[in-house]
Amino acid sequence: MDAMEKISPRVDIAFKKIFGVEENKDLLISLINSIVGEEDQVEDIILMNPYNPQNFRQEKLSILDIKAKGICGKRFNIEIQINDEADYDKRALYYWAKLYTEQLKVTEDYSVLSKAIGIHILNFTSIPEVDRYHNVFHITEKETGFLYFKDLELHTIELTKFSKNGREELADILTKIKNSLDMWAAFLTRHDLLNKDHLPQAINNPILKKALGVLDVMSFGDEEREAYEGHLKWLRIEASTLKKYEAKVAMETLLLVATRMARQGASIQDIALITDLSHEQITKLLLPQ
């Protein structure tokens, strides 16, 4: 890793070193409270699996989710997902089920079970049908939407929907920040644009300053660095795949527009002016198949 390159909090190892340690519980509390509803806000939490670099060799990927318990008993599982693995939706439900069932000891009654909330921060688009980057899922009655099974709650945070363009400037990011979750999404996606000592007034927040400070001084042991760099490659491959897909969709859209214009009698010059396609591309498109 280039010594000048900033560590990315979107890589799972870095994410847990920021949010999954005792000295940064205030950051995790802020992140959780920016996501969950008013009834689930937490004042303090207990980290159930804090990050421990000494155990990294033995535990590897199993340590990279964050489990926490609120002082009222509610359980939280926070995970950042680098790439779009198969059956992600089933995996999310499995993690939630473990979080819920692990509360119950053999001699205890079901009444001791507390609400379990899964928070999945995704570096890919999982729900293309919805434009929102934050979605909340419950079990509700099909016809009325009535929420009966209140202990199940899953949140998805799709970071690529918040910031799709790696060429965005700070001013572009600032226009998107309307609440504390937007602030955290900006931190996770475009931390490279944020300087803790020169934050714009709209995001001049002590919690954000601390998170940026943690990133500035973060370092890895040899095994951690090797894993980080491997996971960073996954992140870059995911980003590259997304760009190729978006380029393919954009080209297909332009070709469709060009075809419709040609059918309406538009000249090649006019089609080129509107679509920015070359004369050669348009001529090839109009040739009989």
Side-chain angles (χ1 to χ4, degrees):
M1 186 171 63
D2 189 329
M4 298 299 292
E5 183 180 5
K6 282 191 173 184
I7 290 173
S8 171
R10 292 171 68 182
V11 177
D12 45 12
I13 298 169
F15 181 85
K16 185 155 186 182
K17 286 198 77 167
I18 297 169
F19 294 101
V21 294
E22 194 69 27
E23 59 266 32
N24 295 339
K25 278 203 313 184
D26 53 341
L27 302 184
L28 182 60
I29 290 170
S30 173
L31 178 63
I32 289 173
N33 286 342
S34 75
I35 295 169
V36 301
E38 185 176 348
E39 69 281 6
D40 296 318
Q41 297 287 298
V42 290
E43 295 181 7
D44 195 9
I45 54 172
I46 298 169
L47 283 170
M48 299 165 65
N49 62 340
Y51 184 84
N52 185 344
Q54 281 72 39
N55 295 339
F56 187 80
R57 177 179 296 182
Q58 291 79 20
E59 298 181 18
K60 291 292 186 186
L61 298 182
S62 65
I63 65 170
L64 296 179
D65 64 323
I66 300 173
K67 292 181 182 178
K69 181 170 68 172
I71 55 176
C72 295
K74 291 178 182 177
R75 306 294 177 106
F76 301 88
N77 178 256
I78 304 98
E79 178 189 10
I80 193 160
Q81 183 79 12
I82 297 175
N83 60 339
D84 188 3
E85 297 179 350
D87 297 322
Y88 160 72
D89 53 341
K90 296 181 185 297
R91 183 168 175 267
L93 282 173
Y94 177 77
Y95 268 57
W96 175 87
K98 283 189 66 178
L99 186 69
Y100 193 60
T101 58
E102 283 174 351
Q103 301 177 58
L104 195 64
K105 304 295 186 292
V106 174
T107 58
E108 291 179 325
D109 187 80
Y110 293 116
S111 62
V112 305
L113 290 169
S114 295
K115 184 175 183 178
I117 299 174
I119 296 173
H120 297 264
I121 301 172
L122 311 177
N123 279 306
F124 54 89
T125 297
S126 180
I127 314 168
E129 299 85 358
V130 180
D131 290 334
R132 293 188 308 274
Y133 78 91
H134 175 207
N135 290 283
V136 188
F137 297 94
H138 298 105
I139 296 179
T140 59
E141 201 285 320
K142 183 177 179 180
E143 297 294 331
T144 65
F146 175 63
L147 176 62
Y148 179 68
F149 298 100
K150 297 180 180 180
D151 279 358
L152 169 62
E153 185 167 300
L154 289 173
H155 295 257
T156 57
I157 314 292
E158 297 168 283
L159 295 177
T160 51
K161 288 181 179 178
F162 181 82
S163 179
K164 299 178 182 179
N165 183 358
R167 294 185 295 274
E168 285 180 315
E169 300 292 337
L170 179 58
D172 301 315
I173 294 296
L174 290 176
T175 62
K176 301 179 182 182
I177 299 177
K178 311 296 183 186
N179 53 48
S180 55
L181 178 54
D182 295 339
M183 179 194 76
W184 282 120
F187 169 75
L188 292 170
T189 56
R190 297 312 310 271
H191 66 284
D192 56 307
L193 298 177
L194 305 176
N195 183 326
K196 71 179 188 302
D197 299 319
H198 299 94
L199 287 174
Q201 185 175 355
I203 55 172
N204 193 6
N205 182 302
I207 286 288
L208 178 58
K209 282 186 177 182
K210 178 175 177 179
L212 291 166
V214 170
L215 259 190
D216 286 346
V217 301
M218 182 177 289
S219 61
F220 292 121
D222 291 342
E223 295 226 3
E224 291 174 308
R225 185 181 300 109
E226 181 182 351
Y228 171 84
E229 290 177 352
H231 294 195
L232 183 62
K233 287 179 184 176
W234 295 349
L235 183 61
R236 286 172 172 163
I237 289 170
E238 195 71 36
S240 175
T241 302
L242 177 63
K243 287 178 182 176
K244 289 177 182 177
Y245 172 75
E246 289 175 342
K248 180 176 181 290
V249 171
M251 178 56 71
E252 289 174 349
T253 302
L254 290 175
L255 293 175
L256 180 60
V257 170
T259 302
R260 288 177 176 173
M261 290 182 68
R263 287 174 181 168
Q264 294 174 4
S267 67
I268 290 180
Q269 288 77 12
D270 287 342
I271 296 173
L273 183 64
I274 296 297
T275 63
D276 208 30
L277 294 171
S278 69
H279 283 217
E280 182 182 355
Q281 286 173 308
I282 297 169
T283 302
K284 184 178 179 180
L285 180 68
L286 299 181
L287 288 174
Q289 301 298 314

